[in-house]
Amino acid sequence: MEYRKQIDQEVSNLETAKIKYQEKLEECESENYAIDLGKKLKEVSILNDLTPQVLHSLVNKVTCSVDGNLRIHYNFVNPFEEQE
């Protein structure tokens, strides 16, 4: 019975991950995503200084784990970020 619960939990976790990946894929494929990201990158590329306003327009939050690992949560999908 315990084995069944473990398998059910793994299936549930995989289904949740699948939904997250599908949402990110849809966001990446949308035309608005490309346009918005292009605008943000253009704005940043012409700036000489990284101001708090620029930083906040690109980064949602930064988290730090107990072991010291930093994770940046962007306001857009980061195609280079490792998925959990």
Short mmCIF file of all heavy atoms in Angstrom, two decimals, residues 17-83:
data_model
loop_
_atom_site.label_atom_id
_atom_site.label_comp_id
_atom_site.label_asym_id
_atom_site.label_seq_id
_atom_site.Cartn_x
_atom_site.Cartn_y
_atom_site.Cartn_z
N ALA A 17 4.60 19.11 -12.98
CA ALA A 17 5.74 19.60 -13.76
C ALA A 17 5.36 19.74 -15.23
O ALA A 17 5.75 20.71 -15.89
CB ALA A 17 6.92 18.65 -13.61
N LYS A 18 4.59 18.81 -15.75
CA LYS A 18 4.15 18.86 -17.15
C LYS A 18 3.34 20.12 -17.41
O LYS A 18 3.55 20.80 -18.42
CB LYS A 18 3.33 17.62 -17.48
CG LYS A 18 2.79 17.61 -18.89
CD LYS A 18 1.91 16.40 -19.14
CE LYS A 18 1.26 16.50 -20.50
NZ LYS A 18 0.29 15.42 -20.72
N ILE A 19 2.44 20.44 -16.50
CA ILE A 19 1.62 21.64 -16.65
C ILE A 19 2.49 22.89 -16.65
O ILE A 19 2.31 23.79 -17.47
CB ILE A 19 0.55 21.70 -15.55
CG1 ILE A 19 -0.49 20.60 -15.76
CG2 ILE A 19 -0.12 23.06 -15.50
CD1 ILE A 19 -1.43 20.39 -14.60
N LYS A 20 3.46 22.95 -15.74
CA LYS A 20 4.36 24.10 -15.68
C LYS A 20 5.15 24.25 -16.98
O LYS A 20 5.31 25.35 -17.51
CB LYS A 20 5.33 23.98 -14.50
CG LYS A 20 4.69 24.20 -13.16
CD LYS A 20 5.71 24.07 -12.04
CE LYS A 20 5.06 24.21 -10.69
NZ LYS A 20 6.03 24.05 -9.59
N TYR A 21 5.67 23.13 -17.50
CA TYR A 21 6.42 23.18 -18.75
C TYR A 21 5.54 23.62 -19.91
O TYR A 21 5.97 24.38 -20.78
CB TYR A 21 7.04 21.81 -19.06
CG TYR A 21 8.22 21.45 -18.18
CD1 TYR A 21 8.26 20.24 -17.50
CD2 TYR A 21 9.29 22.31 -18.03
CE1 TYR A 21 9.33 19.91 -16.69
CE2 TYR A 21 10.36 21.99 -17.22
CZ TYR A 21 10.37 20.79 -16.55
OH TYR A 21 11.44 20.47 -15.75
N GLN A 22 4.30 23.15 -19.94
CA GLN A 22 3.39 23.55 -21.01
C GLN A 22 3.10 25.04 -20.95
O GLN A 22 3.07 25.72 -21.98
CB GLN A 22 2.08 22.76 -20.93
CG GLN A 22 2.22 21.32 -21.38
CD GLN A 22 0.96 20.49 -21.14
OE1 GLN A 22 0.19 20.75 -20.23
NE2 GLN A 22 0.78 19.48 -21.96
N GLU A 23 2.91 25.57 -19.74
CA GLU A 23 2.66 27.00 -19.59
C GLU A 23 3.86 27.82 -20.05
O GLU A 23 3.71 28.83 -20.73
CB GLU A 23 2.32 27.32 -18.14
CG GLU A 23 0.97 26.81 -17.70
CD GLU A 23 0.73 26.94 -16.20
OE1 GLU A 23 1.67 27.32 -15.46
OE2 GLU A 23 -0.40 26.65 -15.77
N LYS A 24 5.06 27.39 -19.66
CA LYS A 24 6.26 28.11 -20.09
C LYS A 24 6.46 28.03 -21.59
O LYS A 24 6.86 29.01 -22.22
CB LYS A 24 7.49 27.58 -19.35
CG LYS A 24 7.53 27.99 -17.91
CD LYS A 24 8.83 27.62 -17.24
CE LYS A 24 8.83 28.13 -15.81
NZ LYS A 24 10.15 28.15 -15.22
N LEU A 25 6.17 26.88 -22.17
CA LEU A 25 6.29 26.72 -23.62
C LEU A 25 5.32 27.65 -24.33
O LEU A 25 5.70 28.32 -25.29
CB LEU A 25 6.03 25.27 -24.01
CG LEU A 25 6.11 24.95 -25.50
CD1 LEU A 25 7.50 25.24 -26.04
CD2 LEU A 25 5.72 23.50 -25.76
N GLU A 26 4.09 27.71 -23.86
CA GLU A 26 3.10 28.60 -24.47
C GLU A 26 3.54 30.06 -24.37
O GLU A 26 3.39 30.83 -25.31
CB GLU A 26 1.74 28.41 -23.81
CG GLU A 26 1.09 27.09 -24.17
CD GLU A 26 -0.16 26.81 -23.36
OE1 GLU A 26 -0.62 27.71 -22.61
OE2 GLU A 26 -0.68 25.68 -23.46
N GLU A 27 4.09 30.42 -23.22
CA GLU A 27 4.55 31.79 -23.03
C GLU A 27 5.70 32.11 -23.98
O GLU A 27 5.75 33.18 -24.59
CB GLU A 27 4.98 32.01 -21.59
CG GLU A 27 5.36 33.43 -21.28
CD GLU A 27 5.74 33.66 -19.82
OE1 GLU A 27 5.49 32.77 -18.98
OE2 GLU A 27 6.29 34.72 -19.54
N CYS A 28 6.63 31.17 -24.13
CA CYS A 28 7.77 31.38 -25.02
C CYS A 28 7.34 31.48 -26.48
O CYS A 28 7.95 32.21 -27.25
CB CYS A 28 8.78 30.23 -24.87
SG CYS A 28 9.77 30.33 -23.38
N GLU A 29 6.32 30.73 -26.83
CA GLU A 29 5.89 30.70 -28.22
C GLU A 29 5.01 31.89 -28.59
O GLU A 29 4.81 32.17 -29.77
CB GLU A 29 5.15 29.40 -28.50
CG GLU A 29 6.06 28.19 -28.49
CD GLU A 29 5.32 26.88 -28.69
OE1 GLU A 29 4.09 26.84 -28.49
OE2 GLU A 29 5.98 25.90 -29.04
N SER A 30 4.50 32.57 -27.60
CA SER A 30 3.58 33.66 -27.91
C SER A 30 4.33 34.84 -28.55
O SER A 30 5.47 35.14 -28.21
CB SER A 30 2.84 34.12 -26.66
OG SER A 30 3.69 34.88 -25.85
N GLU A 31 3.67 35.48 -29.44
CA GLU A 31 4.27 36.63 -30.13
C GLU A 31 4.52 37.76 -29.15
O GLU A 31 5.54 38.45 -29.22
CB GLU A 31 3.33 37.09 -31.24
CG GLU A 31 3.91 38.20 -32.09
CD GLU A 31 3.00 38.55 -33.25
OE1 GLU A 31 2.35 37.66 -33.80
OE2 GLU A 31 2.96 39.74 -33.60
N ASN A 32 3.63 37.96 -28.21
CA ASN A 32 3.80 39.02 -27.23
C ASN A 32 5.03 38.82 -26.37
O ASN A 32 5.69 39.77 -25.99
CB ASN A 32 2.56 39.13 -26.34
CG ASN A 32 1.37 39.70 -27.08
OD1 ASN A 32 1.52 40.39 -28.07
ND2 ASN A 32 0.19 39.39 -26.60
N TYR A 33 5.34 37.57 -26.06
CA TYR A 33 6.54 37.29 -25.26
C TYR A 33 7.78 37.80 -25.99
O TYR A 33 8.62 38.48 -25.40
CB TYR A 33 6.66 35.79 -24.99
CG TYR A 33 8.02 35.41 -24.45
CD1 TYR A 33 8.34 35.63 -23.12
CD2 TYR A 33 9.00 34.86 -25.27
CE1 TYR A 33 9.58 35.31 -22.61
CE2 TYR A 33 10.24 34.54 -24.77
CZ TYR A 33 10.53 34.76 -23.45
OH TYR A 33 11.77 34.46 -22.96
N ALA A 34 7.89 37.46 -27.25
CA ALA A 34 9.07 37.88 -28.02
C ALA A 34 9.15 39.40 -28.12
O ALA A 34 10.23 39.98 -27.98
CB ALA A 34 9.02 37.26 -29.42
N ILE A 35 8.02 40.03 -28.33
CA ILE A 35 8.00 41.49 -28.43
C ILE A 35 8.38 42.13 -27.10
O ILE A 35 9.21 43.04 -27.05
CB ILE A 35 6.61 41.97 -28.90
CG1 ILE A 35 6.38 41.54 -30.35
CG2 ILE A 35 6.47 43.48 -28.76
CD1 ILE A 35 4.96 41.74 -30.84
N ASP A 36 7.77 41.65 -26.01
CA ASP A 36 8.07 42.20 -24.68
C ASP A 36 9.53 42.01 -24.30
O ASP A 36 10.18 42.92 -23.79
CB ASP A 36 7.17 41.57 -23.62
CG ASP A 36 5.72 41.98 -23.75
OD1 ASP A 36 5.44 42.99 -24.44
OD2 ASP A 36 4.87 41.29 -23.18
N LEU A 37 10.06 40.82 -24.55
CA LEU A 37 11.45 40.56 -24.22
C LEU A 37 12.36 41.44 -25.07
O LEU A 37 13.34 41.99 -24.57
CB LEU A 37 11.78 39.08 -24.43
CG LEU A 37 13.20 38.66 -24.08
CD1 LEU A 37 13.53 39.00 -22.63
CD2 LEU A 37 13.39 37.17 -24.32
N GLY A 38 12.05 41.59 -26.33
CA GLY A 38 12.84 42.45 -27.20
C GLY A 38 12.87 43.89 -26.71
O GLY A 38 13.92 44.54 -26.71
N LYS A 39 11.72 44.38 -26.27
CA LYS A 39 11.65 45.75 -25.74
C LYS A 39 12.50 45.90 -24.48
O LYS A 39 13.23 46.88 -24.33
CB LYS A 39 10.20 46.12 -25.42
CG LYS A 39 9.35 46.39 -26.64
CD LYS A 39 7.93 46.72 -26.22
CE LYS A 39 7.03 46.91 -27.43
NZ LYS A 39 5.63 47.15 -27.02
N LYS A 40 12.40 44.92 -23.58
CA LYS A 40 13.19 44.99 -22.35
C LYS A 40 14.69 44.95 -22.65
O LYS A 40 15.47 45.71 -22.08
CB LYS A 40 12.82 43.85 -21.40
CG LYS A 40 11.50 44.03 -20.73
CD LYS A 40 11.20 42.91 -19.75
CE LYS A 40 9.86 43.14 -19.09
NZ LYS A 40 9.57 42.11 -18.10
N LEU A 41 15.09 44.08 -23.54
CA LEU A 41 16.51 43.99 -23.88
C LEU A 41 16.99 45.26 -24.57
O LEU A 41 18.12 45.70 -24.34
CB LEU A 41 16.75 42.76 -24.76
CG LEU A 41 16.57 41.42 -24.06
CD1 LEU A 41 16.73 40.27 -25.05
CD2 LEU A 41 17.55 41.26 -22.91
N LYS A 42 16.16 45.84 -25.42
CA LYS A 42 16.54 47.08 -26.09
C LYS A 42 16.72 48.20 -25.07
O LYS A 42 17.68 48.98 -25.15
CB LYS A 42 15.48 47.46 -27.12
CG LYS A 42 15.85 48.65 -27.97
CD LYS A 42 14.82 48.92 -29.04
CE LYS A 42 15.23 50.10 -29.88
NZ LYS A 42 14.24 50.39 -30.93
N GLU A 43 15.80 48.29 -24.11
CA GLU A 43 15.91 49.32 -23.08
C GLU A 43 17.19 49.15 -22.27
O GLU A 43 17.88 50.11 -21.96
CB GLU A 43 14.70 49.24 -22.13
CG GLU A 43 13.40 49.69 -22.75
CD GLU A 43 12.20 49.39 -21.86
OE1 GLU A 43 12.39 48.92 -20.71
OE2 GLU A 43 11.08 49.64 -22.31
N VAL A 44 17.52 47.92 -21.93
CA VAL A 44 18.71 47.66 -21.13
C VAL A 44 19.98 47.92 -21.93
O VAL A 44 20.96 48.44 -21.41
CB VAL A 44 18.70 46.21 -20.60
CG1 VAL A 44 20.01 45.84 -19.94
CG2 VAL A 44 17.55 46.03 -19.61
N SER A 45 19.96 47.58 -23.20
CA SER A 45 21.18 47.70 -24.02
C SER A 45 21.62 49.14 -24.23
O SER A 45 22.79 49.39 -24.48
CB SER A 45 21.00 47.00 -25.36
OG SER A 45 20.06 47.70 -26.16
N ILE A 46 20.69 50.09 -24.13
CA ILE A 46 21.07 51.49 -24.34
C ILE A 46 21.41 52.21 -23.04
O ILE A 46 21.80 53.36 -23.06
CB ILE A 46 19.97 52.27 -25.11
CG1 ILE A 46 18.66 52.26 -24.32
CG2 ILE A 46 19.79 51.71 -26.50
CD1 ILE A 46 17.57 53.15 -24.91
N LEU A 47 21.27 51.52 -21.93
CA LEU A 47 21.57 52.14 -20.65
C LEU A 47 23.03 51.92 -20.26
O LEU A 47 23.60 50.88 -20.51
CB LEU A 47 20.66 51.55 -19.56
CG LEU A 47 19.18 51.79 -19.73
CD1 LEU A 47 18.41 51.02 -18.68
CD2 LEU A 47 18.85 53.27 -19.63
N ASN A 48 23.59 52.93 -19.65
CA ASN A 48 24.97 52.82 -19.20
C ASN A 48 25.05 52.29 -17.77
O ASN A 48 26.06 51.71 -17.39
CB ASN A 48 25.65 54.19 -19.26
CG ASN A 48 25.82 54.66 -20.68
OD1 ASN A 48 25.99 53.86 -21.59
ND2 ASN A 48 25.77 55.97 -20.89
N ASP A 49 24.01 52.51 -16.99
CA ASP A 49 24.02 52.10 -15.59
C ASP A 49 22.86 51.16 -15.31
O ASP A 49 21.78 51.30 -15.88
CB ASP A 49 23.89 53.31 -14.66
CG ASP A 49 25.07 54.26 -14.78
OD1 ASP A 49 26.20 53.77 -14.92
OD2 ASP A 49 24.84 55.48 -14.75
N LEU A 50 23.09 50.21 -14.42
CA LEU A 50 22.03 49.33 -13.97
C LEU A 50 21.35 49.99 -12.78
O LEU A 50 21.86 49.96 -11.66
CB LEU A 50 22.60 47.95 -13.58
CG LEU A 50 21.58 46.93 -13.11
CD1 LEU A 50 20.57 46.63 -14.22
CD2 LEU A 50 22.27 45.65 -12.68
N THR A 51 20.23 50.61 -13.04
CA THR A 51 19.49 51.31 -11.99
C THR A 51 18.52 50.34 -11.32
O THR A 51 18.20 49.28 -11.88
CB THR A 51 18.71 52.49 -12.58
OG1 THR A 51 17.72 51.97 -13.48
CG2 THR A 51 19.62 53.45 -13.31
N PRO A 52 18.03 50.69 -10.15
CA PRO A 52 17.02 49.83 -9.50
C PRO A 52 15.79 49.62 -10.38
O PRO A 52 15.22 48.54 -10.41
CB PRO A 52 16.67 50.60 -8.22
CG PRO A 52 17.89 51.39 -7.92
CD PRO A 52 18.45 51.78 -9.27
N GLN A 53 15.40 50.64 -11.15
CA GLN A 53 14.23 50.51 -12.02
C GLN A 53 14.46 49.46 -13.10
O GLN A 53 13.58 48.65 -13.41
CB GLN A 53 13.88 51.87 -12.67
CG GLN A 53 13.38 52.90 -11.69
CD GLN A 53 14.51 53.62 -10.96
OE1 GLN A 53 15.68 53.48 -11.27
NE2 GLN A 53 14.15 54.39 -9.93
N VAL A 54 15.64 49.48 -13.69
CA VAL A 54 15.97 48.50 -14.73
C VAL A 54 16.00 47.10 -14.12
O VAL A 54 15.44 46.15 -14.68
CB VAL A 54 17.32 48.83 -15.40
CG1 VAL A 54 17.74 47.71 -16.35
CG2 VAL A 54 17.23 50.15 -16.14
N LEU A 55 16.66 46.98 -13.00
CA LEU A 55 16.76 45.69 -12.33
C LEU A 55 15.37 45.13 -12.01
O LEU A 55 15.08 43.97 -12.27
CB LEU A 55 17.60 45.81 -11.06
CG LEU A 55 17.87 44.52 -10.31
CD1 LEU A 55 18.65 43.54 -11.18
CD2 LEU A 55 18.63 44.80 -9.04
N HIS A 56 14.50 45.96 -11.46
CA HIS A 56 13.16 45.51 -11.10
C HIS A 56 12.31 45.18 -12.31
O HIS A 56 11.39 44.36 -12.22
CB HIS A 56 12.46 46.54 -10.22
CG HIS A 56 13.05 46.66 -8.85
ND1 HIS A 56 12.98 45.65 -7.92
CD2 HIS A 56 13.74 47.65 -8.25
CE1 HIS A 56 13.58 46.01 -6.81
NE2 HIS A 56 14.08 47.21 -6.98
N SER A 57 12.59 45.76 -13.45
CA SER A 57 11.83 45.43 -14.65
C SER A 57 12.21 44.07 -15.21
O SER A 57 11.44 43.44 -15.92
CB SER A 57 12.01 46.50 -15.73
OG SER A 57 13.30 46.42 -16.31
N LEU A 58 13.40 43.58 -14.86
CA LEU A 58 13.87 42.29 -15.37
C LEU A 58 13.78 41.17 -14.35
O LEU A 58 13.59 40.01 -14.71
CB LEU A 58 15.32 42.42 -15.85
CG LEU A 58 15.57 43.38 -16.99
CD1 LEU A 58 17.06 43.54 -17.23
CD2 LEU A 58 14.87 42.90 -18.25
N VAL A 59 13.96 41.49 -13.07
CA VAL A 59 14.05 40.46 -12.03
C VAL A 59 12.87 40.59 -11.08
O VAL A 59 12.60 41.67 -10.55
CB VAL A 59 15.38 40.59 -11.25
CG1 VAL A 59 15.43 39.58 -10.12
CG2 VAL A 59 16.56 40.41 -12.19
N ASN A 60 12.17 39.48 -10.87
CA ASN A 60 11.05 39.46 -9.94
C ASN A 60 11.54 39.36 -8.50
O ASN A 60 11.13 40.13 -7.64
CB ASN A 60 10.11 38.29 -10.27
CG ASN A 60 8.90 38.25 -9.40
OD1 ASN A 60 8.43 39.27 -8.93
ND2 ASN A 60 8.37 37.07 -9.18
N LYS A 61 12.45 38.39 -8.25
CA LYS A 61 13.03 38.25 -6.92
C LYS A 61 14.28 37.39 -7.00
O LYS A 61 14.51 36.69 -7.98
CB LYS A 61 12.04 37.65 -5.94
CG LYS A 61 11.65 36.22 -6.24
CD LYS A 61 10.64 35.70 -5.22
CE LYS A 61 10.19 34.30 -5.58
NZ LYS A 61 9.25 33.75 -4.62
N VAL A 62 15.07 37.46 -5.95
CA VAL A 62 16.27 36.64 -5.81
C VAL A 62 16.13 35.90 -4.49
O VAL A 62 15.84 36.51 -3.46
CB VAL A 62 17.56 37.50 -5.81
CG1 VAL A 62 18.78 36.64 -5.60
CG2 VAL A 62 17.67 38.31 -7.09
N THR A 63 16.32 34.58 -4.53
CA THR A 63 16.24 33.79 -3.31
C THR A 63 17.59 33.15 -3.03
O THR A 63 18.36 32.89 -3.95
CB THR A 63 15.16 32.70 -3.41
OG1 THR A 63 15.43 31.87 -4.53
CG2 THR A 63 13.78 33.30 -3.56
N CYS A 64 17.84 32.90 -1.77
CA CYS A 64 19.08 32.28 -1.34
C CYS A 64 18.74 31.11 -0.44
O CYS A 64 18.01 31.27 0.54
CB CYS A 64 19.95 33.29 -0.60
SG CYS A 64 21.54 32.61 -0.07
N SER A 65 19.25 29.93 -0.78
CA SER A 65 18.99 28.74 0.04
C SER A 65 19.92 28.75 1.24
O SER A 65 20.88 29.52 1.32
CB SER A 65 19.18 27.47 -0.79
OG SER A 65 20.53 27.34 -1.19
N VAL A 66 19.65 27.86 2.18
CA VAL A 66 20.45 27.76 3.39
C VAL A 66 21.90 27.46 3.07
O VAL A 66 22.82 27.93 3.74
CB VAL A 66 19.86 26.66 4.32
CG1 VAL A 66 20.73 26.45 5.53
CG2 VAL A 66 18.45 27.03 4.74
N ASP A 67 22.14 26.68 1.99
CA ASP A 67 23.51 26.33 1.64
C ASP A 67 24.20 27.40 0.80
O ASP A 67 25.32 27.21 0.34
CB ASP A 67 23.57 24.97 0.95
CG ASP A 67 22.73 24.91 -0.31
OD1 ASP A 67 22.12 25.92 -0.69
OD2 ASP A 67 22.68 23.83 -0.93
N GLY A 68 23.55 28.55 0.59
CA GLY A 68 24.19 29.67 -0.08
C GLY A 68 23.96 29.76 -1.58
O GLY A 68 24.51 30.65 -2.23
N ASN A 69 23.15 28.87 -2.15
CA ASN A 69 22.86 28.94 -3.58
C ASN A 69 21.85 30.05 -3.87
O ASN A 69 20.81 30.13 -3.24
CB ASN A 69 22.31 27.61 -4.08
CG ASN A 69 23.36 26.52 -4.10
OD1 ASN A 69 24.51 26.79 -4.38
ND2 ASN A 69 22.96 25.31 -3.77
N LEU A 70 22.19 30.90 -4.82
CA LEU A 70 21.30 31.99 -5.23
C LEU A 70 20.47 31.55 -6.42
O LEU A 70 20.95 30.83 -7.29
CB LEU A 70 22.10 33.23 -5.61
CG LEU A 70 22.80 33.96 -4.49
CD1 LEU A 70 23.63 35.11 -5.05
CD2 LEU A 70 21.82 34.46 -3.46
N ARG A 71 19.23 32.02 -6.47
CA ARG A 71 18.36 31.75 -7.62
C ARG A 71 17.67 33.04 -8.00
O ARG A 71 17.09 33.72 -7.14
CB ARG A 71 17.32 30.70 -7.27
CG ARG A 71 16.43 30.41 -8.45
CD ARG A 71 15.73 29.08 -8.32
NE ARG A 71 14.98 28.86 -9.54
CZ ARG A 71 13.77 28.36 -9.59
NH1 ARG A 71 13.18 27.98 -8.48
NH2 ARG A 71 13.15 28.21 -10.73
N ILE A 72 17.75 33.39 -9.26
CA ILE A 72 17.13 34.61 -9.77
C ILE A 72 15.82 34.22 -10.43
O ILE A 72 15.79 33.36 -11.31
CB ILE A 72 18.05 35.33 -10.77
CG1 ILE A 72 19.36 35.71 -10.09
CG2 ILE A 72 17.35 36.56 -11.35
CD1 ILE A 72 20.42 36.25 -11.04
N HIS A 73 14.73 34.87 -10.02
CA HIS A 73 13.40 34.65 -10.59
C HIS A 73 13.12 35.85 -11.50
O HIS A 73 12.91 36.96 -11.03
CB HIS A 73 12.34 34.56 -9.49
CG HIS A 73 12.63 33.47 -8.50
ND1 HIS A 73 12.06 32.23 -8.59
CD2 HIS A 73 13.43 33.43 -7.41
CE1 HIS A 73 12.49 31.47 -7.59
NE2 HIS A 73 13.33 32.19 -6.87
N TYR A 74 13.14 35.61 -12.81
CA TYR A 74 12.99 36.68 -13.78
C TYR A 74 11.52 37.03 -14.00
O TYR A 74 10.62 36.24 -13.71
CB TYR A 74 13.61 36.27 -15.11
CG TYR A 74 15.11 36.07 -15.02
CD1 TYR A 74 15.65 34.80 -14.83
CD2 TYR A 74 15.97 37.14 -15.12
CE1 TYR A 74 17.02 34.61 -14.74
CE2 TYR A 74 17.35 36.97 -15.03
CZ TYR A 74 17.86 35.70 -14.84
OH TYR A 74 19.20 35.52 -14.75
N ASN A 75 11.28 38.21 -14.54
CA ASN A 75 9.93 38.62 -14.93
C ASN A 75 9.56 38.09 -16.31
O ASN A 75 8.53 38.45 -16.85
CB ASN A 75 9.82 40.15 -14.93
CG ASN A 75 9.71 40.70 -13.53
OD1 ASN A 75 9.15 40.06 -12.65
ND2 ASN A 75 10.25 41.87 -13.30
N PHE A 76 10.40 37.28 -16.86
CA PHE A 76 10.17 36.64 -18.16
C PHE A 76 10.73 35.24 -18.07
O PHE A 76 11.45 34.91 -17.13
CB PHE A 76 10.84 37.44 -19.29
CG PHE A 76 12.31 37.64 -19.09
CD1 PHE A 76 13.23 36.72 -19.56
CD2 PHE A 76 12.78 38.76 -18.42
CE1 PHE A 76 14.59 36.90 -19.36
CE2 PHE A 76 14.14 38.96 -18.23
CZ PHE A 76 15.04 38.01 -18.70
N VAL A 77 10.41 34.41 -19.02
CA VAL A 77 10.92 33.05 -19.02
C VAL A 77 12.38 33.08 -19.41
O VAL A 77 12.75 33.62 -20.45
CB VAL A 77 10.13 32.16 -19.99
CG1 VAL A 77 10.75 30.78 -20.08
CG2 VAL A 77 8.69 32.05 -19.55
N ASN A 78 13.22 32.51 -18.58
CA ASN A 78 14.65 32.43 -18.85
C ASN A 78 14.92 31.10 -19.54
O ASN A 78 14.86 30.05 -18.90
CB ASN A 78 15.45 32.53 -17.55
CG ASN A 78 16.93 32.38 -17.77
OD1 ASN A 78 17.40 32.32 -18.90
ND2 ASN A 78 17.68 32.32 -16.69
N PRO A 79 15.22 31.09 -20.83
CA PRO A 79 15.42 29.82 -21.53
C PRO A 79 16.68 29.07 -21.09
O PRO A 79 16.84 27.91 -21.39
CB PRO A 79 15.53 30.24 -23.00
CG PRO A 79 15.92 31.67 -22.98
CD PRO A 79 15.37 32.24 -21.70
N PHE A 80 17.56 29.73 -20.34
CA PHE A 80 18.80 29.08 -19.90
C PHE A 80 18.69 28.52 -18.49
O PHE A 80 19.59 27.88 -18.00
CB PHE A 80 19.95 30.10 -19.94
CG PHE A 80 20.12 30.69 -21.30
CD1 PHE A 80 19.79 32.01 -21.52
CD2 PHE A 80 20.57 29.93 -22.37
CE1 PHE A 80 19.91 32.56 -22.78
CE2 PHE A 80 20.70 30.48 -23.62
CZ PHE A 80 20.38 31.80 -23.83
N GLU A 81 17.56 28.79 -17.81
CA GLU A 81 17.38 28.34 -16.43
C GLU A 81 17.09 26.85 -16.40
O GLU A 81 16.32 26.32 -17.19
CB GLU A 81 16.20 29.10 -15.82
CG GLU A 81 15.89 28.72 -14.41
CD GLU A 81 14.73 29.52 -13.86
OE1 GLU A 81 13.79 29.81 -14.58
OE2 GLU A 81 14.81 29.85 -12.68
N GLU A 82 17.75 26.16 -15.46
CA GLU A 82 17.49 24.73 -15.28
C GLU A 82 16.12 24.57 -14.66
O GLU A 82 15.76 25.26 -13.71
CB GLU A 82 18.53 24.10 -14.36
CG GLU A 82 19.89 24.02 -15.00
CD GLU A 82 20.89 23.30 -14.10
OE1 GLU A 82 20.46 22.47 -13.28
OE2 GLU A 82 22.07 23.60 -14.23
N GLN A 83 15.34 23.67 -15.21
CA GLN A 83 14.00 23.43 -14.70
C GLN A 83 14.05 22.49 -13.52
O GLN A 83 14.88 21.61 -13.46
CB GLN A 83 13.12 22.82 -15.81
CG GLN A 83 13.05 23.69 -17.04
CD GLN A 83 12.46 25.06 -16.78
OE1 GLN A 83 11.50 25.20 -16.04
NE2 GLN A 83 13.04 26.09 -17.38
#
